[in-house]
């Protein structure tokens, strides 16, 4: 297999169109990790050798970018899910609806990869830690910031339990969209708004 090598720049050489080889190698490595997980490779069994072989690069190319497998997996999951949605700041209600509206959205690559990863998250402390750091905690922190702002502006009660409120907001949507716990809600177009409004009635100032 031909390695996507990083060749040294030639002084005075014209820049070719397209992404640099280093960028192509970087993307090939991330795609290789996703391919292997999608095919059923566990987090523990995922090796730098297998990743390098799938990506068509040498292990040295991987280690020039990431100190180890954990760092590579973190970036791969961030690439898969993308950065957290950010609030606009109009109101607590509007921001919560904006943040929750993306829960369970059907990106096709994520749809294929996440079901392969979730059993690992349940079974493996290593996979669970990476999943928390790469996906869930950054999104929780954005929601915490919205709730804290609501307390500061007087929209929400001063004794608000931020952690419980975050769970009350996101858990019903995750449960419904991941396992369809209540199929009667499938056709409720404004489910996100209804959940936000029910919770806000209990936590408003």
């Amino acid at each position: 297999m031909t390695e996507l090598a990083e060749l040294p720049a030639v002084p005075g050489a014209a820049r070719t169109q397209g992404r640099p080889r280093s960028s192509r190698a970087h993307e090939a490595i991330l795609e290789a990790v996703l391919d292997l997980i999608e095919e059923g490779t566990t987090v523990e069994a995922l090796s730098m050798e297998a990743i390098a072989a799938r990506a068509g690069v040498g292990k040295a190319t991987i280690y020039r970018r990431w100190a180890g497998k954990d760092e590579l997996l973190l970036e791969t999951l961030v690439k898969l899910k993308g950065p957290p949605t950010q609030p606009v700041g109009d109101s607590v209600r509007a921001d919560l609806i904006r943040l929750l509206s993306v829960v369970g959205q059907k990106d096709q690559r994520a749809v294929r990869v996440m079901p392969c990863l979730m059993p690992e998250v349940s079974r493996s402390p290593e996979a669970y830690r990476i999943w928390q750091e790469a996906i869930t905690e950054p999104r929780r922190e954005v929601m915490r910031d919205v709730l804290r702002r609501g307390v500061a502006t007087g929209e929400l009660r001063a004794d608000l339990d931020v952690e419980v409120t975050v769970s009350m907001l996101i858990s019903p949507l995750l449960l419904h969209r991941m396992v369809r716990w209540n199929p009667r809600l499938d056709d409720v177009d404004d489910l996100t708004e209804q959940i936000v409004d029910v919770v806000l009635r209990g936590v408003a100032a």
Side-chain angles (χ1 to χ4, degrees), residues 14-191:
R15 183 183 297 273
T16 59
Q17 292 184 346
R19 292 183 299 175
R21 291 192 181 206
S22 60
S23 175
R24 294 202 302 271
H26 194 98
E27 290 298 316
I29 293 164
L30 298 179
E31 287 296 317
V33 174
L34 292 174
D35 287 343
L36 290 167
I37 292 174
E38 188 177 346
E39 291 168 6
T41 304
T42 65
V43 171
E44 287 89 348
L46 193 65
S47 68
M48 292 303 202
E49 290 80 3
I51 296 167
R54 176 60 65 91
V57 303
K59 284 203 302 180
T61 301
I62 298 177
Y63 282 113
R64 277 196 293 270
R65 291 167 169 79
W66 298 278
K69 186 172 74 173
D70 285 2
E71 290 78 9
L72 173 54
L73 282 169
L74 281 170
E75 182 171 340
T76 302
L77 291 180
V78 169
K79 168 185 167 63
L80 177 68
K81 296 296 289 184
T85 301
Q86 295 300 313
V88 175
D90 295 335
S91 68
V92 168
R93 180 181 184 274
D95 280 341
L96 291 176
I97 290 172
R98 174 178 170 83
L99 298 181
L100 290 171
S101 65
V102 300
V103 173
Q105 282 188 345
K106 300 298 185 182
D107 172 82
Q108 290 305 306
R109 191 71 188 277
V111 165
R112 295 193 302 270
V113 172
M114 292 306 293
C116 301
L117 186 62
M118 293 314 295
E120 285 293 298
V121 169
S122 300
R123 183 185 62 81
S124 163
E126 178 187 6
Y128 177 79
R129 178 183 59 78
I130 292 171
W131 177 68
Q132 286 285 331
E133 291 181 14
I135 298 177
T136 60
E137 179 55 25
R139 287 158 173 77
R140 281 196 300 263
E141 186 58 25
V142 173
M143 193 169 293
R144 290 185 193 112
D145 286 342
V146 171
L147 296 175
R148 294 183 191 116
R149 190 191 76 218
V151 172
T153 60
E155 293 177 76
L156 304 180
R157 52 196 294 175
D159 62 346
L160 178 71
D161 189 316
V162 171
E163 294 302 322
V164 170
T165 306
V166 168
S167 292
M168 290 170 62
L169 287 162
I170 199 167
S171 296
L173 279 172
L174 280 176
L175 182 65
H176 177 64
R177 290 179 179 170
M178 291 182 71
V179 300
R180 291 187 63 226
W181 186 78
N182 185 351
R184 294 183 179 181
L185 298 178
D186 286 350
D187 297 325
V188 179
D189 294 331
D190 62 344
L191 180 61

